[in-house]
Amino acid sequence: MKFSSSNISPELIFSHIWAIQSDARLAVMQQSLDSLIADIGSPEIIPNDHTVISRLIKSHGQWFSMSCEGNVMSLAEKYENRFLNLIFKDLVVIVSLNFNYTDLQKKHTNNLLKKYFKRRQSGYQNSTLLFPDITSQTYGLLIYREQAERMIMAITDLGHEEAKKLICNLRKCTYETQNYGETFISLGIAKGLPKEKVRRAWALISRQAQLLTDYKFSLALSWLLYQLEYLEAYHLSKVWSKVRKFAKQYEHGINLRQIEKLNSLSIL
């Protein structure tokens, strides 16, 4: 919301379009938010504020026409009311599952969210889980693409780009990838890992590849939404003072006249 666009690079002009790679849009949104925060005196954004997270969940993610899927947020709201102490990492899970919510994935998403909060409530940690060091943040659940990539790298010694490509091909259900299981298990056994552990890991990764969410994107979007809700909760008067000032200063009449002239139109 910088009231001058001079610091936004021209190549990001189309970043408002939600594409597979949405990082550019988030960059512009964060850049605008940073400008607004600076304009109102750079107030500190305190992380893990339960009030802010509660407001954001109850509003179903109201910002930037990115309304979150009602079913996911409504389910999350039930847990929020029960625990009353959701923190930022919980919000990241909720936001990530929201953007993976389709009719085909509805049942999986709902079950995953229920499992997450059930395990969160009990403080569930189990050393027998698959790669607990990789999934400890999600209580042993495989939610993020990056978690699957780390598992693949730990089992096979594939590099990051190769692991990322494997997940991508699993999502596409390519014939070669679907038949990669035996090779995967052989590589894990060659590293000294138990065959059953490797087999379970492959079954989990290959089965859930299309359902995995992008952690880095979810993290950035969650923080963006959190900051906006924080400003509305604690600095609303300053924010709207700047917005009203901008509305009074902005004059697009000159632009409209130029558009009319170029296109042989007239004011209606």
Side-chain angles (χ1 to χ4, degrees), residues 250-260 267:
Y250 184 73
E251 172 56 56
H252 60 252
I254 297 175
N255 293 335
L256 292 178
R257 287 192 288 274
Q258 180 66 13
I259 293 169
E260 287 182 310
I267 289 288

Side-chain angles (χ1 to χ4, degrees), residues 241-251:
S241 175
K242 285 293 180 181
V243 171
R244 284 192 293 269
K245 182 179 179 181
F246 170 66
K248 291 178 180 178
Q249 290 178 345
Y250 184 73
E251 172 56 56

Side-chain angles (χ1 to χ4, degrees), residues 223-242:
W223 182 239
L224 184 69
L225 296 174
Y226 179 89
Q227 291 174 95
L228 284 163
E229 196 66 51
Y230 192 96
L231 291 178
E232 180 167 276
Y234 297 115
H235 303 281
L236 183 62
S237 60
K238 288 185 178 181
V239 170
W240 280 107
S241 175
K242 285 293 180 181

